[in-house]
Amino acid sequence: MTRILCVASGKGGVGKTTTVINLGAALFHFGQRVLIIDGNVTTPNLSLHLGIAKEKPTLHDVLEGSVSIENAIHLHSSGLMVIPAGISLTNLRKIYKKTIAQAITGIAGRFDWVLIDVPAGLGREARLAIEAANEVVVVTNPELPAAVDALKVSRLAKNLGTSPLGVIVNKFAGEKEEMSPENVAEFVELPLLGVIPYSTLFLKALSAKYPLVLLYPNSTPAVQYKKIAAALLGERYEIIEKPSIIQRIRRFLIRI
Ligand SMILES: Nc1ncnc2c1ncn2[C@@H]1O[C@H](COP(=O)(O)OP(=O)(O)OP(=O)(O)O)[C@@H](O)[C@H]1O
Ligand SMILES: [Mg+2]
């Protein structure tokens, strides 16, 4: 069954887009069919992270009703399927006839996972992206202002009927002034899904326009994202990453 999961934070710049891309890449690495969607209609940047900013059509064309959603799915060189949002300012003048939830109804079933990048804030645009999903992963940084907004977005999601799965603490540097990931999780009242360290490899991945998880697969942030993906799949990372021959045969038999 398809899981439609959005990534939200409340506060801007904490790592939502980075998480959508790398969690998507980790699930893809484990053989899952993954679609990632930029739910930022006014300030999109998923396509910039992946170097597909010029590709058309985009989510805007789908919401406007001029293009079917199948045609807005782009295959990234990493293997990820992506629906970008158009970055041009003219998109802001478009009138949308559909919501993201309505737009994805026809295609979601073709994927194991649909991951939606939610815009920052708690306004209408964020709500429309959250409402399109059944579950939400909250991303925050280990500091109070981000944690406060994470708590707000988690409560908003619950009110909208989207279940909060847990929190990812991103950009953790291990400084004594930071909140501990456990304290963050307690503060936002959610299970701790994982901790992603602060790493300059993200800058390199951004410059390469490629998911860090696939570019530096053995790096600590990549392994952390893969552990979160494995947990979402209900598997242990060590087993899913390096399955024994028996487990591989078993999995093959289950698939056919
Ligand atoms: N763990 C990390 N270590 C270092 N840099 C990171 C990490 N995670 C994300 N970044 C960088 O932080 C910046 C913001 O990340 P990102 O764009 O994913 O945040 P966002 O929450 O989607 O922002 P916005 O609210 O503007 O959409 C990017 O330059 C990204 O490469
Ligand atoms: Mg973003």
Side-chain angles (χ1 to χ4, degrees):
M1 211 187 87
T2 311
R3 285 179 71 178
I4 308 177
L5 193 144
C6 67
V7 176
S9 67
K11 191 171 187 299
V14 299
K16 295 175 292 300
T17 305
T18 303
T19 295
V20 165
I21 291 170
N22 286 291
L23 197 53
L27 289 163
F28 174 69
H29 169 75
F30 291 138
Q32 298 288 293
R33 295 168 301 165
V34 181
L35 174 67
I36 63 177
I37 301 179
D38 194 344
N40 292 251
V41 177
T42 52
T43 54
N45 49 37
L46 184 65
S47 65
L48 296 170
H49 280 249
L50 294 174
I52 54 167
K54 288 191 182 137
E55 296 210 10
K56 285 189 171 107
T58 67
L59 181 70
H60 290 88
D61 304 304
V62 177
L63 300 184
E64 192 200 18
S66 60
V67 161
S68 85
I69 191 155
E70 283 84 1
N71 295 327
I73 302 176
H74 300 269
L75 176 61
H76 185 252
S77 57
S78 60
L80 279 176
M81 302 283 202
V82 187
I83 299 187
I87 58 166
S88 133
L89 272 177
T90 52
N91 288 318
L92 301 183
R93 289 196 288 273
K94 287 186 174 173
I95 296 180
Y96 300 114
K97 298 188 184 119
K98 286 184 194 168
T99 61
I100 300 177
Q102 290 164 338
I104 63 176
T105 321
I107 49 143
R110 283 205 239 141
F111 299 91
D112 299 308
W113 296 85
V114 175
L115 305 186
I116 304 171
D117 188 8
V118 177
L122 305 171
R124 181 169 184 272
E125 204 183 318
R127 287 206 306 274
L128 284 170
I130 294 170
E131 270 171 349
N134 307 121
E135 301 169 293
V136 57
V137 165
V138 175
V139 178
T140 188
N141 297 151
E143 58 197 30
L144 196 57
V148 169
D149 289 356
L151 177 61
K152 285 188 194 160
V153 87
S154 165
R155 289 193 176 160
L156 172 72
K158 239 188 244 170
N159 290 341
L160 294 172
T162 305
S163 333
L165 274 184
V167 63
I168 295 178
V169 176
N170 185 35
K171 301 192 190 181
F172 184 67
E175 299 289 340
K176 66 177 185 324
E177 293 79 9
E178 287 177 324
M179 289 173 80
S180 75
E182 292 71 25
N183 282 349
V184 172
E186 192 186 337
F187 184 85
V188 301
E189 301 166 349
L190 290 176
L192 182 61
L193 294 178
V195 181
I196 312 295
Y198 185 92
S199 167
T200 52
L201 290 181
F202 282 99
L203 199 58
K204 291 188 199 290
L206 188 60
S207 150
K209 300 176 172 54
Y210 211 78
L212 176 145
V213 159
L214 303 175
L215 196 58
Y216 304 107
N218 299 319
S219 65
T220 309
V223 171
Q224 290 306 107
Y225 271 120
K226 286 191 269 187
K227 283 187 175 172
I228 298 169
L232 290 179
L233 292 168
E235 305 244 14
R236 273 208 12 245
Y237 166 71
E238 292 72 15
I239 293 175
I240 195 169
E241 180 74 341
K242 292 192 179 85
S244 68
I245 186 75
I246 307 251
Q247 282 156 341
R248 261 185 270 166
I249 294 169
R250 200 174 145 266
R251 240 178 251 168
F252 176 73
L253 290 174
I254 289 168
R255 267 174 183 251
I256 53 177

